[in-house]
Amino acid sequence: MADDGRVRRALLFMPGDDVKKIGKGAALGVDSIIMDLEDSVALANKQAARDSVVEALTSGEIDFGRTERLVRVNTDTSGFLDDDLKAVMPAHPDGIVLPKVESSAVIRFVARVLLDEESMAGIAPGTIKLLALIETARGVVNLKDIASSDPRLVALMFGAEDLAGSLGAIRTVEGHEVAYGRGAVVIHAAAYDLQSIDTPYVDLKNFDGLRADTERAVQMGYTGKMAIHPAQVEVITSVLDPADEEVAHAQAMIAAHAEHREKRAGVFVFEGKMVDMPMIRAAERVLARAQAAGKLPR
Ligand code: COA
Ligand code: MG
């Protein structure tokens, strides 16, 4: 249970059996891509999708650059999970996205499989990350158990469409039917030092709507948002990137903190407001986001 410090603003999904989209996603310079083996892949194409994801990860033909390579596998009740892991793990993706997580059991199970693969391959334990999608009523109810399940879990992701389905709710533009779940996910992520990734916006041509929805997510404390089309990536990252004034303010606050630390003062006043460690940590997060945005050197 720990944020690994990697910046994940936009995470772009594509069907795992669509090699062209994997290549396109890799070329975008997006923070993370999620090659999907689950719901965007037809049942008849599950093996084809595993094959093309492995090919993309291992052939060397696709240059992923800094982009994190994630794979979404099928659920533990689908009958596909074991074969997904067996196929994909030797190709060493950077992380696995688990859909419809409802308890810590599946996370602990997959974490053990990852540990075996890491020890066989001689790579450091914990290298391959886990991200858990919360998108069912039971997943929301069991958030505490899920969020505290395993150190390789780095993020909770919120899926509004499946959650609405599992509730029998009707989707609205305002999203009040999923507000509780959306709030619960970000709160549990913060409580257990995990990143929080907001639901994708499915109205592909409505960029004003996407911007407003991303702003809402940032206001709630979400650290990133899923994307389902390349054109959404720029909007999401631009909302998540800190403004210049925000960066300058964070730098000044950290400098003032360093000065006061010399004098052994834990708490101090900056621009008329009390500052202590939580604000300094928040300021450090702003600088990390500024680095990811290219506004500061890494
Ligand atoms: N990742 C990478 N490339 C993508 C992409 C994605 N998610 N979605 C579209 N593209 C590419 C297309 O291949 C096309 O490339 P081209 O110009 O070289 O031909 C270009 O971007 C424009 O695509 P467009 O015609 O606007 O979309 P589409 O009709 O081809 O695809 C979807 C629409 C919804 C099927 C597609 O965006 C998609 O597959 N999204 C992801 C779905 C998914 O993974 N869902 C699971 C999580 S909810
Ligand atoms: Mg889903």
Side-chain angles (χ1 to χ4, degrees), residues 38-39 72 100 133 135 162:
E38 199 217 9
D39 282 352
R72 180 167 75 172
K100 301 181 182 71
L133 257 163
E135 47 185 346
D162 275 294

Side-chain angles (χ1 to χ4, degrees), residues 15-266:
D17 54 351
D18 195 330
V19 184
K20 191 176 148 232
K21 282 184 184 148
I22 298 176
K24 240 186 142 72
L28 278 176
V30 60
D31 294 330
S32 308
I33 60 164
I34 309 174
M35 295 169 269
D36 189 24
L37 303 178
E38 199 217 9
D39 282 352
S40 69
V41 175
L43 289 183
N45 258 14
K46 293 294 183 187
Q47 187 55 43
R50 292 178 193 124
D51 292 343
S52 57
V53 167
V54 169
E55 170 76 10
L57 287 170
T58 56
S59 72
E61 270 166 37
I62 300 179
D63 179 6
F64 291 93
R66 275 188 209 282
T67 298
E68 182 180 38
R69 305 154 313 144
L70 303 174
V71 178
R72 180 167 75 172
V73 294
N74 288 278
T75 65
D76 50 338
T77 54
S78 66
F80 296 124
L81 178 60
D82 288 342
D83 288 342
D84 288 348
L85 292 171
K86 221 172 274 160
V88 161
M89 286 328 304
H92 296 165
D94 299 312
I96 297 289
V97 175
L98 296 172
K100 301 181 182 71
V101 173
E102 300 198 321
S103 80
S104 58
V106 64
I107 296 181
R108 282 188 268 106
F109 166 73
V110 175
R112 259 196 312 276
V113 176
L114 299 192
L115 188 62
D116 287 347
E117 178 59 39
E118 286 162 347
S119 63
M120 242 157 35
I123 55 183
T127 301
I128 304 167
K129 306 302 179 198
L130 278 177
L131 297 84
L133 257 163
I134 307 301
E135 47 185 346
T136 63
R138 199 166 286 195
V140 172
V141 165
N142 290 332
L143 265 165
K144 188 174 169 187
D145 172 48
I146 294 163
S148 59
S149 58
D150 193 277
R152 79 173 72 223
L153 185 66
V154 293
L156 299 179
M157 305 167 74
F158 174 58
E161 306 310 322
D162 275 294
L163 178 63
S166 103
L167 299 175
I170 297 164
R171 288 293 273 138
T172 65
V173 177
E174 304 77 33
H176 45 75
E177 69 287 355
V178 293
Y180 175 75
R182 198 183 190 190
V185 168
V186 72
I187 285 178
H188 282 81
Y192 290 93
D193 189 26
L194 299 170
Q195 295 180 0
S196 46
I197 315 294
D198 190 39
T199 193
Y201 191 75
V202 296
D203 192 353
L204 292 174
K205 299 271 180 259
N206 182 359
F207 296 105
D208 290 339
L210 171 64
R211 178 171 295 279
D213 194 51
T214 309
E215 281 166 356
R216 179 91 41 93
V218 171
Q219 288 158 3
M220 291 178 76
Y222 273 95
T223 59
K225 190 170 177 68
M226 291 172 252
I228 46 177
H229 190 283
Q232 294 186 323
V233 169
E234 171 66 32
V235 177
I236 293 172
T237 29
S238 71
V239 174
L240 276 146
D241 284 345
D244 293 343
E245 312 83 75
E246 212 185 324
V247 177
H249 184 261
Q251 283 177 314
M253 188 190 284
I254 287 169
H257 173 246
E259 250 172 60
H260 285 87
R261 201 177 36 202
E262 299 265 294
K263 298 180 213 146
R264 299 179 184 237

